[in-house]
Amino acid sequence: MALGRLLHGAPHADTPGQTIGPARTYEAFVEVFFAGQRRRAYTRLVELSGARTGDRVLDVGCGTGYLTRLVAKAVGPAGQAVGVDPSPTVIEYARKKSHGAACAYETGVAEALQAPDGSFDVVVTSLAIHHIPAELRPAAMGEMFRVLRPGGRLLLADFRPPRSRVVRHLVGSLTGPAMEHNPVDELDRLAAQAGFAVRGRGDVHPWLRYVHAVRPEVAR
Ligand SMILES: C[S@@+](CC[C@H](N)C(=O)[O-])C[C@H]1O[C@@H](n2cnc3c(N)ncnc32)[C@H](O)[C@@H]1O
């Protein structure tokens, strides 16, 4: 848990979600945690999101903006990637790192997004759902649904606890119980309850489970 305490930010007035504090420490941790496979894994997430040239994409719980910057490459200068996160320190870091890219960043929370209805073609989120308290996840999913245009695409990705109990426990002792016991199988249900049509699910090596879904053209 010592590492978890080192990574986590001060409590945020707008959300009980667990925010990330020191951006550089987080970046160093994630690079080690992914053992050199972060770029490949996140590039795969971008492919799975279906983001394409000219799309407007929202990255919810964007942290340091790693995924947001890869999305910006996929959508090109005709599109835009917008990252939102409650932690001002990671948002400041993401802005500096994204200089010159088609990215914009805002502080904000998943459960009360500031964007207008139907204003995005794609919503992505990586490793953030387990930071949002369980009772707020339906509201967060409802917001992702609201800001997507009908026909818009959703890509949820979160930490898949290792199958080995020993490794799971090791991860938990380093980062905290939210990762050790992350109920990643619930991503499907969360998406469906918000009104999304789930199109598929799977794992991205080494640590991620994803679900991709569509906001139906006609409300169900
Ligand atoms: C483990 S980090 C993941 C960051 C980034 N998406 C990535 O894949 O590296 C989880 C992020 O969720 C953010 N977070 C916490 N509560 C949140 C909330 N209520 N709404 C949106 N993001 C939240 C944290 O500040 C943190 O940056």
Side-chain angles (χ1 to χ4, degrees):
M1 285 275 246
L3 183 61
R5 274 202 296 276
L6 199 67
L7 292 174
H8 293 154
H12 196 278
D14 294 335
T15 182
Q18 184 71 73
T19 58
I20 291 291
R24 280 178 206 282
T25 312
Y26 175 76
E27 280 296 291
F29 168 71
V30 181
E31 286 295 341
V32 172
F33 198 62
F34 273 80
Q37 310 219 41
R38 187 187 191 194
R39 181 136 188 130
R40 183 199 48 73
Y42 276 58
T43 300
R44 179 72 185 132
L45 294 184
V46 176
E47 286 166 12
L48 288 163
S49 79
R52 30 183 197 248
T53 309
D55 278 347
R56 261 178 67 72
V57 183
L58 180 66
D59 181 4
V60 177
C62 65
T64 50
Y66 189 87
L67 179 62
T68 326
R69 288 190 289 283
L70 289 176
V71 164
K73 274 195 182 164
V75 301
Q80 193 182 31
V82 178
V84 63
D85 197 287
S87 167
T89 54
V90 293
I91 289 293
E92 191 188 331
Y93 178 93
R95 282 192 181 124
K96 281 189 190 144
K97 279 291 248 191
S98 305
H99 185 70
C103 296
Y105 294 96
E106 295 158 10
T107 52
V109 299
E111 60 270 28
L113 294 171
Q114 296 301 308
D117 295 0
S119 51
F120 288 95
D121 302 295
V122 179
V123 170
V124 297
T125 180
S126 61
L127 295 177
I129 301 288
H130 75 274
H131 278 244
I132 302 171
E135 64 276 14
L136 291 178
R137 289 175 197 161
M141 295 303 307
E143 282 291 87
M144 294 183 212
F145 186 91
R146 180 183 67 75
V147 303
L148 266 177
R149 65 166 170 77
R153 303 173 295 284
L154 172 74
L155 190 274
L156 298 176
D158 207 348
F159 180 70
R160 176 186 54 74
R163 288 181 188 93
S164 151
R165 197 164 56 86
V166 175
V167 183
R168 229 173 23 241
H169 192 62
L170 183 67
V171 168
S173 56
L174 278 172
T175 63
M179 279 177 78
E180 182 175 354
H181 303 294
N182 191 20
V184 78
D185 294 331
E186 289 184 11
L187 293 178
D188 278 57
R189 185 181 53 77
L190 279 171
Q193 280 177 350
F196 287 101
V198 173
R199 288 285 160 84
R201 66 194 61 74
D203 292 344
V204 173
H205 187 73
W207 300 118
L208 301 172
R209 166 72 45 82
Y210 72 85
V211 165
H212 60 102
V214 175
R215 175 178 168 159
E217 295 280 354
V218 180
R220 293 189 295 175

